[in-house]
Amino acid sequence: MMAGGLLRFLVSLLAVAICGAASVSQPISDSHRSAALDVFVPLDGSYKSLEEAYEALKTLEILGIDKKSGLSSATCENVVKVLASPSSSLKDVFYALSVNGILKCKSGEDVPKDIVSKLQAGAKDAKLLLDFYYSVRGLVLVKEQFSGIDLSLGDAEAIFRSIKGLSQSDGRWRYSSNNPELSTFAAGLAFETLAGVISLAPSEIDQSLIQTLKTGILKLFDSIQKYDDGTFYFDESEGPISTTASVIRGLTSFASSESTGLNLPGDKIVGLAKFFLGVGIPGDAKDFFNQIDALACLEDNRFSVPLILSLPSTVISLTKKEPLKVKVSTVLGSKAPALSVKLAEALNSKGSSVINNQELKFDADSATYFLDSFPKNFDVGKYTFVFEILLDESANEKAYITEAQTKVPIAATGAISIENAEIAVLDSDVGSVESQKKLDLTKDGAVSLSANHLQKLRLSFQLTTPLGLVFKPHQAFLKLKHESQVEHIFLVKTSGKKAELVLDFLGLVEKLYYLSGKYDIQLTIGDASMENSLLSNIGHIELDLPERSEKAPLPPLQPTDAYSRYGPKAEISHIFRVPEKLPAKQLSLVFLGLIVLPFIGFLIGLTRLGVNIKSFPSSVGAATSALLFHGGIGAVLLLYVLFWLKLDLFTTLKALSLLGVFLLFVGHRTLSGLAAASNKLKSA
C-alpha cells in the first residue's frame, strides 16, 4: 500500500517538474472548442438574457462552432420583441442588436425607427458612460446591419467632448461626472464608444481631441502590470480577464478608424496575447467570452497582429532521437505568414551555451519548424532554448509582431545507466565488510541480510548519463519497512561519482523504536530527465536491536485502511430450533369438526325458535342504523378471521377499537329506535 503511494508521489513529482517546464503559450485549439460546448449550454433552447446569448453566440462563432439553428427561434423572438418595444432599455436594445448581427433575425431595411430615435436621443442626452456606450455602439450596430437610414450624429464632436470629459490624466476614466472612482475597465468602454462616435460623425473629428486621447492611451499603459516572462495585463475590481479584455476591445475599435493612426508598443501587444493564452480554459462563461473575444480582437486589428511560438512538446527524448518541433501561428491558431525560426542558443542548467544560431527546417505539410539533430555534447538535463522569429516583411500585407526572443524551458530525457550497485553490512568498529551483495536495480531482488545495533548498512551505486557523465537524480531514497508496517525513509546523497548511504544502527535504534525483526528494503530513484526511473524491492534485513527502555518513545500507531469496513464480514453460523412435533392431520380435522358443530347447532336452534325479521325497523333512519349495526358485527367477525389468517395482535386491536366505537354509536341508535317503536305500540 505504501509502496504504491510512494510511487504515485514520485510520478506526480516528475509530472509537476515536466509540466513546469511546459508553461509555454499555446494558441487556441480544439480543447477550447470542446470546452465551449460545455460552458455555453442553453437552458431549454435559450439563454437567461440577451447578454448571455450574445456572449455565447459570439464565442462559438469565433471558434467556428455552428450552434445557431438550435437557438434561432426562441432567441430571435426575444430580439424582435425587444426591438419592437419602445420601453426597452438601452442595454437590452444594444444586446438585441448584437445578437441580431449574428442570427440575422431582422435585416435589410426593416429597422424600427423608434429604436433608432431612442438610441440617438440616448447618445445626445446621456450623462453616464454606460448610457453613452449602449447608445453609440447600438447605432453602430444598426448602421452595420440595416441600410437605407441616416444614422450620422450631427453633434458628434459635442458628444465626443462629453465623453472625453470623463477621462483622467492617468488614462483611466470615470463612469459619471458625479462618481470620483477611476476605472481601467471604464477606459476600455470609453475607447470603444469614442470609436463609434468617430465612425458615425458626418465630418472629421478635431484632430487635437484625437491626439489628446492617444496621449491618454499611452498613459494608461504606464499602469499595466507585468510578469517576469513578458506577460502584460490590466487588473482591477472586475478582475484581470474582464479588465484587460475591455481595454483590448476599446483599443482595437479605436484603432480601426484610419483617422486615429494609433500605434502601440509591440511587446505590450504580444504580452497581452500571452496573458490570455496563459489563462488556459476558463470555467466561467464570462471569462471564457472575454478571453476568446479579446484574442479575436488581437487577431484582426490595424496596429499589429501578434504571432505566437509554441511547442507541441517541451520534452525531448534522446533515447527515441525525437526532433525538436516548433509551430508559429496567430493567437487563434491561424496560419502564420512567411518567416523563419532560429534557435539563437540553448543554455544548460549551468548557463553554458550548447547550441548557437541554428536555423530550423520547415515542413510545409505540417506547418512545423524542426531541428532533427543535436550536437554531440547535448546530454540529458534541463535547458533554456532561446528562439528568434524572422519575418519576411516584403511578403506580408498585414503588420505582424513577435517577441524579440522567446525563451522556452526544455527537458531532455534519456536512459540513465545504473552501475556498481551493491549493499553491504559493515562492522561498526573497523568498518570491515561482513557481508556484501551485488545488486541489479533494474529488477526486484531477494537479498537477505542480518545485522545488530553495533553494525552498519551501506548502499552504493553509480548513475551516468548517455554521455558518461555523473548524473545526480532529483530524488533518491531508501525505505526500511518493519513487519509491523512502521516505515523509515533515508535520503541517498551523491558525492563525487558515487551515490552512497550508510546507516549506523547504533545511532538509529531510537529512531527505529527498538523494533527488532525483519525490515523490507526498497530503493526509489527518480528524475524528470530520467526515462528509467525505478522503484526496486531489494530484499530484507533482519535487525537485532536492544530492548526498549521505559522512557523510549513508542512506535506510532499505523492508520487503518478506511475501506476495510466495506470488506466481507466474518461468516455467522446459526443453528435453528428443531420444529416441535405436530399431531396427525386426521386428529386436527376431528377437532375442527368439533369446533364447527356448535355453530351448526346455533343455526338449527334459530330455525326451531322461529326467528324472523318482522320487528326490523321500517323507518329510514332506524333501518340505516340497524343495517350499520349488523354490518359492524359482521366486520368484527371478519376481523377475527383475518387475525387468524394474517394479522398480528396489535393491528387487530387497533382495528377492533375503531369498530367498537362505531358499533357503540350505531347500536345505541338502533336500540333507541326499537324502544321508541315499542312505546308507540304500547300507547296505541
Side-chain angles (χ1 to χ4, degrees), residues 38-53:
D38 295 329
V39 173
F40 297 102
V41 179
L43 183 62
D44 298 330
S46 62
Y47 294 95
K48 294 180 180 179
S49 65
L50 287 174
E51 181 180 1
E52 289 188 10

Side-chain angles (χ1 to χ4, degrees), residues 322-366:
E322 295 176 339
L324 171 69
K325 295 182 179 181
V326 174
K327 286 191 173 184
V328 180
S329 66
T330 64
V331 292
L332 293 183
S334 301
K335 185 178 179 181
L339 52 83
S340 59
V341 178
K342 182 175 70 173
L343 178 57
E345 61 178 348
L347 304 174
N348 59 21
S349 57
K350 296 180 181 179
S352 301
S353 179
V354 295
I355 303 177
N356 289 290
N357 296 322
Q358 184 74 45
E359 186 168 341
L360 275 61
K361 300 176 183 178
F362 180 65
D363 180 17
D365 294 334
S366 61

Side-chain angles (χ1 to χ4, degrees), residues 135-204:
S135 301
V136 174
R137 296 308 301 179
L139 289 171
V140 172
L141 292 172
V142 172
K143 181 180 179 180
E144 293 173 351
Q145 299 171 25
F146 303 97
S147 59
I149 186 170
D150 182 18
L151 294 174
S152 61
L153 292 174
D155 50 355
E157 191 163 309
I159 295 175
F160 194 101
R161 292 180 184 275
S162 297
I163 301 172
K164 183 66 177 67
L166 299 175
S167 66
Q168 298 299 301
S169 59
D170 61 355
R172 293 184 294 173
W173 293 62
R174 293 177 295 167
Y175 285 100
S176 70
S177 57
N178 297 326
N179 186 358
E181 182 181 357
L182 302 180
S183 171
T184 304
F185 183 89
L189 298 178
F191 299 151
E192 205 173 348
T193 307
L194 293 173
V197 174
I198 294 174
S199 66
L200 295 172
S203 59
E204 191 172 308

Side-chain angles (χ1 to χ4, degrees), residues 616-617 620-632 666 669-670 674:
F616 197 85
V620 176
T624 303
S625 298
L627 289 173
L628 292 175
F629 177 70
H630 287 83
V666 297
R669 292 288 301 272
T670 301
L674 291 174

Side-chain angles (χ1 to χ4, degrees), residues 88 92 118 135 160 200 237 248 277 327 345 352 386 423 431 434 455 495 500 547 570 600 603 635 644 679:
S88 299
D92 289 340
K118 185 184 187 69
S135 301
F160 194 101
L200 295 172
S237 59
I248 289 178
L277 293 176
K327 286 191 173 184
E345 61 178 348
S352 301
V386 182
I423 189 169
E434 182 171 308
Q455 294 177 314
S495 178
E500 186 177 61
E547 293 292 330
I600 296 174
L603 296 177
W644 177 263
N679 291 334

Side-chain angles (χ1 to χ4, degrees), residues 87-147:
S87 61
S88 299
S89 66
L90 292 173
K91 180 180 179 180
D92 289 340
V93 171
F94 168 74
Y95 282 110
L97 290 168
S98 299
V99 172
N100 184 67
I102 300 174
L103 297 182
K104 311 300 181 187
C105 304
K106 296 174 71 69
S107 60
E109 299 181 1
D110 186 20
V111 55
K113 293 181 174 52
D114 291 341
I115 293 299
V116 174
S117 301
K118 185 184 187 69
L119 293 173
Q120 289 175 331
K124 183 178 179 180
D125 302 331
K127 301 297 182 185
L128 304 177
L129 178 59
L130 287 175
D131 289 343
F132 280 118
Y133 176 79
Y134 292 132
S135 301
V136 174
R137 296 308 301 179
L139 289 171
V140 172
L141 292 172
V142 172
K143 181 180 179 180
E144 293 173 351
Q145 299 171 25
F146 303 97
S147 59

